[in-house]
Amino acid sequence: DYYIEGYGEHAMLEVIKNILGTNTEKLKYTLYGKGKLIKATLDYPSIFMKDLTLKYEARDFIQSNEQLGIEWSRGCKFSCDFCTYQPLGVKGDNFREVENYVDNMNYLYENFGVTTFFSADSTANVNPEKLKLLAEATQSKINFDPWIMAFTRIDLMIAHPETWNDMIAM
């Protein structure tokens, strides 16, 4: 058995290559119970991926009344003592491309009729500039009116009241 800790897209590809015997490098892991623990965040990082599309297919039986997860970014720039989300203290641009977000949202609506989403971000209002870009894209390029639920920090809302209209627009 394999256990992947953290965002696992790149780690999962390495596991598959390991199982198939097609990888050129030794798989990095530590023993964990009777399995192998792969620390994706350290050894196979996927945090700075710009394409966070999850392509559902007809065989997934997605219904229009479902609430699907959507990601804008991964990790959090803060390092709050109380927080359990990982990774913390992320530096750099860990946001997905805006066009990738738009394409993903339109795909989910056009193929499954889904209009309700929950943000998988640890803090949806962490970056006012990126939030503005996402809000503008939501208003001008998304073919429906989405309903998006997200965790936001009230202290950031108070510090950045300009983000309120952006969150409403989304």
Side-chain angles (χ1 to χ4, degrees), residues 16 18 25 31 39 92 97 117 122 134 136 139 150 153 159 168:
I16 291 168
N18 186 67
E25 295 182 21
L31 295 179
K39 296 187 178 190
E97 294 294 335
F117 301 87
S122 56
L134 292 168
E136 289 170 355
Q139 289 294 299
R153 286 183 39 172
I168 291 168

Side-chain angles (χ1 to χ4, degrees), residues 63-68 105 108-109 112-117 144-148 170:
Q63 302 298 306
S64 62
N65 64 335
E66 293 191 53
Q67 300 174 3
L68 299 180
M105 293 289 278
L108 294 170
Y109 175 70
F112 304 104
V114 175
T115 60
T116 305
F117 301 87
F144 64 99
D145 291 325
W147 181 263
I148 302 172
M170 293 179 76

Side-chain angles (χ1 to χ4, degrees), residues 96-121:
R96 78 187 301 174
E97 294 294 335
V98 173
E99 287 302 318
N100 180 254
Y101 159 74
V102 167
D103 293 345
N104 193 198
M105 293 289 278
N106 284 330
Y107 171 83
L108 294 170
Y109 175 70
E110 292 163 5
N111 288 278
F112 304 104
V114 175
T115 60
T116 305
F117 301 87
F118 61 91
S119 168
D121 291 34

